[in-house]
Amino acid sequence: MSLIILAIGIFGLITADNLIKKIMCLSVIENTIILNFISSGYITGAAAPILTAKDIATVDPVPQALMLTAIVIGVCFNSLAIACIVKLHEKTSTVLVSELHEF
Amino acid sequence: MNFEPLLQTLQVEELFRILWISYPIIPLITMMIALALKYLFAKQKIIYAAGVSLILQILTAAAIILLSREISGERYYQLMDSRISITFHYGIEKLYFMGALTVPMILALFRLKSLNTPEMYLIFLFYLAGCSGLIVTGDVFNFFVFYELMIMGAYVLISVKHEYSASVKYMVFGAVSSAIFLGGIVVLYSSGAYFSFSFLYQIHDYETYPMIIAIYLFCIAFFIKGAFLPVSGWVAPCHSAANSLVSSFLASYTIFTGILGLYYLVILPAEILGADQLLTIIRIISLLTIGAASLIIFFEREYKRVIAASTVYTIGIVGLLMSHGLQIPALWYVLIHAPYKSLLFYMYEEFEDNDSTIKASLLLFILFGIALLYTGGFFPSATSTIKLSLGSVDIAWYKWFILVTAGILIGGFTKYRFKVRARGIPSAASITALLIIIGYSSVYFSSTGFPLPSWRDMLIEYLVLLTAAGISRTLYMRAPVLHNVDKKTIYRNLNQELLLIFVILITVGIWMFFPYAG
Amino acid sequence: MNLKESQILETALTKLFPFALLFSGYVFSYGGAFPGGGFQAGVIIGTFIVILELVFERKIYSNPVFERIELTGILFLGIALIAGFMISGYPFGGLYSYGGSSYPLANAMIWFLNMAIFLEVSGSMVLIFRNFLFWESDDTVRIASPHLQQAVMPQESTVLRIPQTKRKKEFLCVAVIAALLIAVSVIVILLFMPAYTPTVHHGEMDVIRMTASEYSIRNMVSVVYLGPRVIDTFLEVMVVILTVLGIKVVRGSR
């Protein structure tokens, strides 16, 4: 399943003409990886990593903690990239790769 | 004064640990104090904060390098006693990267005013924290976070001069490589290992197959971060878009973090695992990178871009040396390249550059020529090791290949019309950079790492080099057809470059996983 | 659509605001015991303020207010960092070294760090989105959207643009090759690559659970990200601040 999402993300990243679409595809790819990481710590039938009185098996808390970091970094990257693209649009009045000399 | 009681009370190990850990934290603490001053007391003292942070970091680096004589072997410092804990790692190889980072730091003290606004100084401090953290860290995920801190600072610093397209291009490549790196971390964790470097070196304890996938993904990520062949096109526009202060940092340290990661996360585990096919891939791609970089430099028209693109050439040679198991000359090359590249960038600021005619004073040209001949094409350690013997293999055509490509490179550097201006002396920054080059290289020669070739051989090689340079220069000047090549062929559009990344992903993957295919 | 004239939205959001504040306060203050934590709480309140500003099309509080909130968070984190360095020689050390300090201190530190992160993230969320909301000037809403904006500089744009039709063929070629390659590689991976089952780290999970029960911190995720991985969390907060400053620089440069 995540392979299909990854393929869609990569295809969009390579073929998209619009820079904002490219950034969106990048975040799709990143989210696929995050999904994969969290599912790698998943154990069937286990509870959320909250300690309860009964001794129930819980899922691995480490991927969840780390992916919190990765998600926040992704958000920061996206907002910074979009700010730069808006400035680029102010300068050249286009966001299409095919219309920009520099790309 | 008597220092002995002081030294006895402060144990060397403990002092070294504190210095090593506090190295990346200095800029962050300074940033916090500066922010507090700015918003709570409305005092704009951030330029001093940046200066103080730089000086403190230079002093810390000096102290670490001095103390490192007392420390032998590697050290792992764990934050807490747990296997998932963040680990700091010290190894003697990391001091080379620390030296390479210290050079632009020293030079930045001269030009600190070229970052105009207070926010830029704060971002510069973040950038420094990311840079120094990459050296100190010994943990894969922490490496990723420090890398993001550094690269996001770099995105903003590049866009100072309104070159947003360069910044966006840098962002796209940075994000692609980071995503691949993150994928590698995921696979590494699911192979049973944790995030510390030490788990990568006990590779046999964990499942081999996911471990190899992880190393393969790291390898691709660092190929992109270090601008190896199929994607070397972004370096020239991105690094030259910033002002010379930032450019010197980017060219002399940031791009070499690709080599840092390649060394610690790919080459060392691959050697332990005996994955020879990976080293062969690195070797081939490095050779192609050397050739392609020299051609890019030859066809490029803007002078600052030429300087920026020549970093890729160095990356290629360093990758070649590392894949042959010659770490020490490769690291020396990284170290000496830093002041050389900073020198070029700072000198460029003093040139008057208008449309392929460059004006400067005679003294500056002489300095420039020495720097170019000494380090650019013909740094003794790298070429002499390649020439004398490549570890156990002895490949003669490497030498001629490197000489010819170096000739094309120098031809690319000198293809402009140079005019001597009457007055003007080199700035303090340039002279300091030259002094650092001399200092580093004298340390290198006194430490007798690798012997120099005989004078006769050296003379022949210099002649070959200069002839190649002369031929390529005349060729460029006489044939106007070549002047338009750069726009048409070198810079492919973004989609094609991204497609190339995917192609290299598949090719290397097929090469590596062919034995495992069911 | 003009959101400003919608009475329903205005009234509903005004009434909901205290509840959102309460909810985010709950999420951060019980971050040690239940699902939640500083980030989540900060994002909840930050997003709510952004929605309010979208609807009312004006600022609720001025920028310096949020800058100060953010700064307070950073300073708290800095204090924790330096204090940990003084106590144990490691940044943020001595929070709850596995098998060490007393448990009221650990619980208090978790609360303190969560609060610092909450303040920092809520301030920065508002500041980041505000930059896009008030792109051109700080007084009037002008949403930064490249396609809606009509103001362009005619002289420059003609120089920097190239006609789209010129490179259409190249792009089509790239798209076809990419589609073929991706399809082939997906098939190859599915057919030929051996699958592996991810290893579950049972041993380390037991250690984390023991630590959590020892200090009676029930949320095991916060045991990890405020425990051994605390520097990652700290650096991530630094990245957020960097983004706030960076967007300000990018937007402000003319």
Side-chain angles (χ1 to χ4, degrees):
Chain A
M1 183 63 203
S2 60
L3 196 67
I4 295 166
I5 304 175
L6 190 67
I8 292 170
I10 292 175
F11 179 74
L13 176 69
I14 294 174
T15 56
D17 198 0
N18 194 325
L19 279 172
I20 292 179
K21 282 184 189 167
K22 271 199 189 334
I23 299 298
M24 282 162 72
C25 289
L26 272 171
S27 66
V28 166
I29 293 173
E30 210 175 284
N31 287 336
T32 320
I33 293 164
I34 288 167
L35 177 70
N36 235 322
F37 200 6
I38 290 176
S39 66
S40 81
Y42 179 73
I43 304 162
T44 319
I50 304 292
L51 216 62
T52 44
K54 282 173 277 179
D55 199 18
I56 316 169
T58 54
V59 299
D60 198 354
V62 178
Q64 299 193 6
L66 293 188
M67 286 306 112
L68 202 61
T69 310
I71 290 168
V72 174
I73 287 175
V75 168
C76 292
F77 169 78
N78 284 349
S79 51
L80 199 57
I82 286 174
C84 267
I85 292 171
V86 172
K87 277 311 251 196
L88 187 68
H89 182 265
E90 278 180 12
K91 195 179 160 194
T92 61
S93 79
T94 178
V95 288
L96 301 180
V97 176
S98 56
E99 292 188 354
L100 286 161
H101 269 300
E102 282 290 319
F103 290 107
Chain B
M1 271 175 74
N2 190 11
F3 282 109
E4 269 182 25
L6 190 72
L7 279 174
Q8 276 167 1
T9 48
L10 272 176
Q11 287 168 356
V12 175
E13 287 270 341
E14 194 71 0
L15 187 65
F16 187 77
R17 183 179 66 82
I18 288 170
L19 283 176
W20 187 252
I21 290 175
S22 64
Y23 184 58
I25 293 172
I26 292 168
L28 293 177
I29 297 284
T30 336
M31 182 277 307
M32 283 175 188
I33 295 167
L35 261 182
L37 284 177
K38 181 168 182 275
Y39 287 121
L40 297 184
F41 306 108
K43 283 183 177 161
Q44 307 279 356
K45 303 284 184 206
I46 295 178
I47 181 167
Y48 301 112
V52 166
S53 161
L54 277 172
I55 291 169
L56 275 177
Q57 276 205 305
I58 292 164
L59 291 178
T60 315
I64 286 171
I65 289 168
L66 284 177
L67 277 179
S68 68
R69 291 179 184 177
E70 310 287 327
I71 310 285
S72 60
E74 287 183 304
R75 292 284 186 282
Y76 288 98
Y77 303 120
Q78 279 196 329
L79 193 66
M80 283 167 199
D81 187 21
S82 156
R83 273 183 291 178
I84 53 167
S85 158
I86 284 180
T87 317
F88 297 100
H89 169 244
Y90 161 74
I92 191 84
E93 293 91 349
K94 291 203 164 173
L95 295 182
Y96 291 94
F97 290 97
M98 193 179 258
L101 177 59
T102 311
V103 173
M105 276 186 188
I106 294 171
L107 297 180
L109 288 173
F110 295 99
R111 294 287 169 85
L112 212 50
K113 279 191 175 167
S114 62
L115 301 168
N116 288 318
T117 54
E119 279 86 7
M120 284 315 266
Y121 290 108
L122 290 173
I123 290 166
F124 182 61
L125 285 175
F126 279 113
Y127 175 74
L128 282 181
C131 284
S132 40
L134 282 177
I135 298 173
V136 168
T137 184
D139 184 286
V140 183
F141 194 78
N142 202 17
F143 191 95
F144 168 77
V145 180
F146 269 124
Y147 195 89
E148 287 296 307
L149 188 61
M150 174 183 80
I151 205 81
M152 299 231 314
Y155 298 148
V156 184
L157 289 172
I158 284 177
S159 65
V160 198
K161 288 165 82 180
H162 309 282
E163 295 276 352
Y164 300 106
S165 52
S167 184
V168 171
K169 203 172 187 178
Y170 203 20
M171 276 176 180
V172 171
F173 286 110
V176 170
S177 68
S178 294
I180 297 173
F181 189 52
L182 199 61
I185 293 173
V186 172
V187 184
L188 179 75
Y189 186 72
S190 61
S191 80
Y194 296 93
F195 305 104
S196 169
F197 283 7
S198 58
F199 291 103
L200 270 172
Y201 306 147
Q202 299 159 4
I203 205 159
H204 293 295
D205 298 355
Y206 307 101
E207 289 183 46
T208 317
Y209 174 63
M211 206 71 166
I212 285 192
I213 299 181
I215 293 172
Y216 151 73
L217 288 174
F218 289 155
C219 182
I220 300 290
F222 290 119
F223 276 167
I224 303 168
K225 285 189 208 292
F228 279 89
L229 175 65
V231 281
S232 350
W234 60 264
V235 179
C238 296
H239 282 187
S240 63
N243 60 23
S244 64
L245 171 88
V246 180
S247 290
S248 78
F249 267 100
L250 288 174
S252 60
Y253 179 75
T254 297
I255 196 167
F256 285 97
T257 53
I259 293 290
L260 178 76
L262 202 67
Y263 177 60
Y264 277 102
L265 301 182
V266 179
I267 293 179
L268 284 184
E271 278 178 355
I272 293 167
L273 201 65
D276 286 337
Q277 72 265 46
L278 197 60
L279 295 180
T280 319
I281 290 166
I282 295 173
R283 199 168 299 154
I284 290 170
I285 287 186
S286 305
L287 276 171
L288 290 174
T289 309
I290 293 172
S294 63
L295 286 179
I296 290 176
I297 294 159
F298 182 64
F299 289 122
E300 181 58 69
R301 296 194 71 180
E302 282 176 47
Y303 205 59
K304 200 171 181 188
R305 286 188 172 193
V306 168
I307 298 172
S310 67
T311 317
V312 184
Y313 184 80
T314 314
I315 289 274
I317 289 189
V318 172
L320 185 67
L321 288 169
M322 283 212 165
S323 69
H324 276 291
L326 296 165
Q327 271 83 26
I328 299 301
L331 293 170
W332 271 106
Y333 197 27
V334 171
L335 186 56
I336 300 200
H337 171 269
Y340 152 69
K341 192 47 58 71
S342 313
L343 176 68
L344 290 188
F345 273 120
Y346 280 102
M347 274 184 174
Y348 175 78
E349 219 170 54
E350 297 161 42
F351 287 160
E352 282 177 38
D353 176 19
N354 44 36
D355 202 28
S356 72
T357 311
I358 287 166
K359 282 185 187 172
S361 61
L362 186 63
L363 197 60
L364 206 62
F365 276 137
I366 293 172
L367 273 181
F368 195 73
I370 292 172
L372 207 59
L373 269 184
Y374 178 71
T375 346
F378 208 71
F379 171 58
S381 103
T383 29
S384 70
T385 22
I386 284 172
K387 193 181 52 208
L388 289 173
S389 67
L390 258 166
S392 54
V393 266
D394 209 343
I395 306 173
W397 62 270
Y398 271 15
K399 175 177 139 189
W400 301 110
F401 178 73
I402 285 174
L403 277 177
V404 169
T405 48
I408 297 172
L409 183 143
I410 293 186
F413 265 105
T414 53
K415 69 188 175 225
Y416 300 90
R417 284 185 194 81
F418 294 100
K419 281 184 181 163
V420 174
R421 199 172 49 190
R423 285 184 294 119
I425 49 163
S427 67
S430 310
I431 291 171
T432 320
L434 198 72
L435 286 178
I436 295 170
I437 293 181
I438 293 168
Y440 275 172
S441 50
S442 59
V443 170
Y444 166 72
F445 287 122
S446 64
S447 69
T448 62
F450 287 87
L452 273 180
S454 72
W455 285 107
R456 223 177 98 248
D457 284 1
M458 234 154 125
L459 196 69
I460 293 171
E461 273 150 24
Y462 262 99
L463 281 176
V464 172
L465 184 74
L466 288 177
T467 325
I471 290 171
S472 56
R473 181 174 190 265
T474 4
L475 197 68
Y476 191 88
M477 302 290 265
R478 291 286 160 81
V481 191
L482 298 177
H483 293 203
N484 289 323
V485 175
D486 63 333
K487 285 280 178 289
K488 283 178 187 164
T489 47
I490 290 181
Y491 298 114
R492 303 164 291 255
N493 68 48
L494 190 63
N495 287 9
Q496 282 165 338
E497 291 198 342
L498 290 170
L499 182 66
L500 277 171
I501 291 178
F502 191 66
V503 169
I504 196 84
L505 197 75
I506 291 173
T507 331
V508 177
I510 289 171
W511 193 327
M512 278 197 65
F513 295 114
F514 197 70
Y516 296 91
Chain C
M1 190 179 73
N2 198 352
L3 290 172
K4 203 174 181 178
E5 289 174 7
S6 167
Q7 277 289 327
I8 304 167
L9 276 176
E10 270 188 37
T11 345
L13 286 172
T14 329
K15 296 284 185 293
L16 276 177
F17 184 69
F19 292 102
L21 201 61
L22 191 69
F23 181 52
S24 72
Y26 162 77
V27 167
F28 103 78
S29 58
Y30 282 87
F34 297 112
F39 286 107
Q40 290 86 336
V43 170
I44 289 168
I45 192 67
T47 330
F48 200 84
I49 293 173
V50 170
I51 292 172
L52 277 180
E53 288 185 350
L54 256 174
V55 171
F56 291 109
E57 298 193 0
R58 65 180 166 78
K59 288 183 175 175
I60 293 173
Y61 297 105
S62 60
N63 267 359
V65 173
F66 288 102
E67 274 164 4
R68 295 224 164 95
I69 288 174
E70 192 192 1
L71 182 74
T72 325
I74 302 169
L75 286 183
F76 282 172
L77 277 178
I79 289 164
L81 189 150
I82 296 173
F85 218 146
M86 293 292 175
I87 293 167
S88 70
Y90 284 102
F92 295 105
L95 299 194
Y96 46 95
S97 54
Y98 283 172
S101 64
S102 59
Y103 102 91
L105 179 71
N107 258 339
M109 276 310 283
I110 289 247
W111 193 84
F112 183 73
L113 284 180
N114 262 335
M115 186 181 66
I117 294 168
F118 166 66
L119 290 174
E120 204 282 329
V121 170
S122 56
S124 335
M125 279 305 277
V126 177
L127 286 173
I128 287 175
F129 280 96
R130 213 170 236 190
N131 274 313
F132 291 108
L133 276 180
F134 305 91
W135 185 262
E136 279 180 356
S137 71
D138 275 344
D139 306 323
T140 52
V141 173
R142 191 66 195 264
I143 296 173
S145 62
H147 284 302
L148 292 177
Q149 237 169 39
Q150 294 303 312
V152 288
M153 289 167 275
Q155 310 96 332
E156 251 186 287
S157 62
T158 45
V159 179
L160 288 163
R161 276 172 80 155
I162 42 178
Q164 200 184 356
T165 48
K166 212 174 160 187
R167 289 161 81 177
K168 207 136 201 179
K169 214 172 173 183
E170 285 176 29
F171 276 72
L172 201 67
C173 203
V174 168
V176 171
I177 297 172
L180 279 176
L181 274 178
I182 289 170
V184 168
S185 59
V186 166
I187 291 166
V188 165
I189 289 173
L190 284 179
L191 288 184
F192 296 109
M193 291 282 280
Y196 66 91
T197 44
T199 317
V200 180
H201 300 249
H202 284 294
E204 199 53 44
M205 272 162 65
D206 288 343
V207 174
I208 294 168
R209 186 180 295 139
M210 268 167 54
T211 318
S213 59
E214 191 181 330
Y215 295 110
S216 74
I217 301 161
R218 292 172 62 195
N219 187 350
M220 278 154 69
V221 179
S222 70
V223 173
V224 177
Y225 81 79
L226 295 177
R229 314 288 314 176
V230 66
I231 293 180
D232 279 348
T233 313
F234 173 65
L235 286 173
E236 167 196 357
V237 169
M238 291 293 127
V239 171
V240 175
I241 305 163
L242 171 62
T243 315
V244 172
L245 290 169
I247 294 180
K248 199 174 169 190
V249 167
V250 169
R251 179 191 149 206
S253 65
R254 288 271 177 263

